[in-house]
Amino acid sequence: MKDLKEIAADAVDLVSPAIERLFERTNRKELHIVVMNPQVKPWEVSFEDAILFEKSLGSPESWSISFDQFARKKAQQAWRESTSNIQLQTLHPSALREDDLLFYGSFVYGNIVVACSGVEQWYDMLISGWIAVAIEQLTMHEYQMQKLENPTKTYR
């Protein structure tokens, strides 16, 4: 069975054609993606240790803004609060901290947290959602195949 990091990379590759298509209508063609490990909680490990996968699209060396840092900040908010950062910014701003980024662009699907930065924040959120759902469904596929191949296996 693929591990979660392989599945996250596979999910990003799977939705990359849609991201490239979306780049035809965005303000730039730059993006940084952060995927958090859904198997760990904020009280178990540091934020940095909980990052499962990161990937930059475009030309990071020419970025005028640190999209990688923005994406990490968005992921940190969402992971810490177990909800997308648009929820904090629009419904629960009392939970915002001094160093929280005031752009949204994360998506939380079950325990999967994905955040992106580089294009308009609504498109960052859209891409994050595509990746999060893809991760869960690719994991579901791996899980179901494992059950079929090893029907008497007791634990994962």
Side-chain angles (χ1 to χ4, degrees):
M1 185 164 152
K2 290 181 182 176
D3 68 23
L4 282 172
K5 190 170 187 170
E6 292 172 307
I7 291 170
D10 193 18
V12 171
D13 288 344
L14 186 65
V15 302
S16 285
I19 295 169
E20 291 297 326
R21 178 89 188 272
L22 187 64
F23 278 168
E24 295 172 10
R25 61 177 71 193
T26 57
N27 59 355
R28 65 182 68 83
K29 295 170 178 36
E30 311 292 341
L31 191 72
H32 189 78
I33 302 162
V34 176
V35 178
M36 302 304 294
N37 186 335
Q39 295 178 340
V40 297
K41 305 294 181 212
W43 57 88
E44 296 175 331
V45 299
S46 70
F47 169 73
E48 292 76 19
D49 290 339
I51 295 173
L52 177 68
F53 178 82
E54 290 186 86
K55 183 172 184 175
S56 292
L57 304 177
S59 305
E61 62 281 353
S62 66
W63 289 352
S64 60
I65 299 170
S66 299
F67 296 120
D68 54 343
Q69 292 303 314
F70 278 18
R72 285 185 199 110
K73 284 293 200 180
K74 292 175 184 184
Q76 188 173 30
Q77 279 181 22
W79 183 66
R80 178 185 77 220
E81 302 294 334
S82 297
T83 189
S84 61
N85 60 345
I86 193 174
Q87 294 289 325
L88 296 177
Q89 293 174 21
T90 59
L91 298 176
H92 306 291
S94 61
L96 290 170
R97 297 181 182 178
E98 235 6 81
D99 65 341
D100 279 346
L101 187 69
L102 299 181
F103 298 109
Y104 64 89
S106 64
F107 196 90
V108 178
Y109 185 67
N111 290 327
I112 298 170
V113 175
V114 180
C116 295
S117 190
V119 293
E120 293 92 330
Q121 58 188 343
W122 46 90
Y123 288 142
D124 288 338
M125 185 176 175
L126 174 63
I127 296 165
S128 296
W130 288 342
I131 294 167
V133 173
I135 290 169
E136 192 68 69
Q137 298 313 306
L138 291 171
T139 303
M140 179 62 74
H141 173 75
E142 290 290 323
Y143 174 68
Q144 293 300 333
M145 293 299 99
Q146 188 64 238
K147 285 173 51 176
L148 286 173
E149 294 168 8
N150 302 293
T152 60
K153 186 175 178 182
T154 308
Y155 298 100
R156 185 174 181 183

